[in-house]
Amino acid sequence: MSQAVAKKEKFTVWNTGNRSNQFVFYDNQVHVEIAGLGVVSINRTGEGIIVDVFDKTESNDSIASLAIEESEFSEGLADELQKEIEKFDPSIDLDAEDAISAYDNNQSTSAFIQAYFTENEFDCSGLTPLKGEVKEFHEQVKELQRPYIQISKEQYDVLIDGTADFYQTKGGKVVTFGNADGGYALMPLNDLAAEELLAKQSLLNAIFHQECFSDANVITFELLGWEQKLNHEVSSAIEKTVLIERNDARGSLELGIKVNFHWEKSTLDMEIVKFDRGQFEKFDLAVNVSRPLHKVLEDYISHLNGLNRIDVEELELAGITEEFPEKWKELLLSVKALSDKLGIK
């Protein structure tokens, strides 16, 4: 209600026929006269409010009363603040004092979250990169909504040097980044724009966001011929191996590819693994998800073959791919199928 209305001693709210319902204002009190019934009195106290209902008699005794403590008003806001801030970082646990302060200052949820991350640096390491390109400024800005999350120049530089225009927070919020409010910020997309972008994402993005292999993921991998080797809170891995039979004294060997998923930074790497005559060896490969996984393997073997000097283990690995091209091709096709399924094309 406007302050102009509140300053009036008596205010007719509406009329029904010849009956009139009226508000009467006093300090910390509002009396509502209900035509034909009685009066409802709302009293602001130091602890909250008390609502008393009186009939039309001259009695000072209320026929019903309700007391609501001040904390009950802020509890709903506390729940909303906690729910909304978890969309940016689920690890945050707000204090009750935070909600009370926001309530006392008539602070909106958006303003509170924006102020919170101005005082407490947002951890960008948990952002999952998403596929998609930003639109022209005048179009993209229409899809943004506050709160904007302040980030440092150093955090901005890391993001600008990356390959993604959009990211998803651990809590599920879809954001882009840029200059805002005299500094740098993560800027959330509105719900519709976020839904449209997420609908275009790959299986890899979904897996990184859930930070583990679901049962459905494991089944998908198994159908492609990959076995889960590890699945915990830091990283998870799958592996594909082939058995190579040699018709000589060397006997058989196992050659495989292991793909490691690192949850904290949403990154992948690969290993070529070899078990031969009781000896285990592995060769580490860095992965950029903008290049198909099987191409990364082909590039690595090509690199080995082009070296003038090469260590014994790498020489043996390159030799195996040449001696048993069908088995190497089988591995490459399995890696390609996995790469396609993950959306790394």
Side-chain angles (χ1 to χ4, degrees), residues 14 50 61 74 76 99 106 110-111 152 195 204 208 214 230 232 234-235 249 262 265 289-290 296 304 314 337:
W14 69 85
I50 297 176
D61 296 328
S74 61
N106 293 319
S110 177
S152 67
E195 288 175 9
L204 179 63
F208 274 144
S214 67
L230 183 70
H232 61 62
V234 176
S235 63
H262 302 287
K265 294 188 176 180
V289 294
S290 63
V296 174
L304 294 184
E314 291 176 332

Side-chain angles (χ1 to χ4, degrees), residues 19-177:
R19 295 179 298 171
S20 176
N21 300 283
Q22 297 179 325
F23 281 156
V24 180
F25 296 91
Y26 301 98
D27 290 341
N28 295 321
Q29 291 183 340
V30 179
H31 300 299
V32 185
E33 180 183 346
I34 310 298
L37 294 177
V39 174
V40 176
S41 175
I42 304 173
N43 300 281
R44 177 69 165 96
T45 70
E47 292 77 33
I49 65 170
I50 297 176
V51 181
D52 291 308
V53 181
F54 300 90
D55 59 20
K56 295 191 294 182
T57 67
E58 297 298 325
S59 172
N60 289 325
D61 296 328
S62 63
I63 59 175
S65 185
L66 174 66
I68 305 173
E69 294 185 4
E70 187 170 355
S71 61
E72 295 183 54
F73 287 89
S74 61
E75 283 175 3
L77 178 61
D79 292 341
E80 181 180 350
L81 292 177
Q82 184 65 46
K83 180 183 73 173
E84 292 301 316
I85 207 165
E86 285 181 1
K87 292 179 180 179
F88 293 94
D89 186 346
S91 69
I92 294 174
D93 187 12
L94 295 174
D95 295 329
E97 290 75 12
D98 293 326
I100 293 173
S101 175
Y103 186 81
D104 289 343
N105 294 315
N106 293 319
Q107 195 173 28
S108 70
T109 301
S110 177
F112 172 84
I113 293 175
Q114 194 158 308
Y116 180 91
F117 286 115
T118 299
E119 297 178 5
N120 303 275
E121 184 174 88
F122 181 81
D123 182 6
C124 288
S125 66
L127 293 174
T128 300
L130 300 175
K131 292 186 176 181
E133 295 182 356
V134 291
K135 303 173 182 177
E136 293 294 330
F137 176 80
H138 67 281
E139 290 294 329
Q140 190 66 69
V141 73
K142 296 176 183 177
E143 297 181 346
L144 303 180
Q145 65 178 17
R146 289 188 181 270
Y148 289 176
I149 306 304
Q150 178 178 297
I151 58 175
S152 67
K153 175 66 163 58
E154 291 73 21
Q155 289 174 312
Y156 174 80
D157 288 341
V158 171
L159 294 176
I160 202 71
D161 289 340
T163 59
D165 289 340
F166 299 99
Y167 290 86
Q168 189 170 29
T169 68
K170 287 186 175 182
K173 206 73 171 174
V174 177
V175 299
T176 187
F177 58 94

Side-chain angles (χ1 to χ4, degrees), residues 317-332:
L317 175 62
I320 289 170
T321 63
E322 289 186 357
E323 186 179 358
F324 303 97
E326 292 303 315
K327 290 295 185 179
W328 179 241
K329 182 178 180 181
E330 180 182 341
L331 275 178
L332 286 177

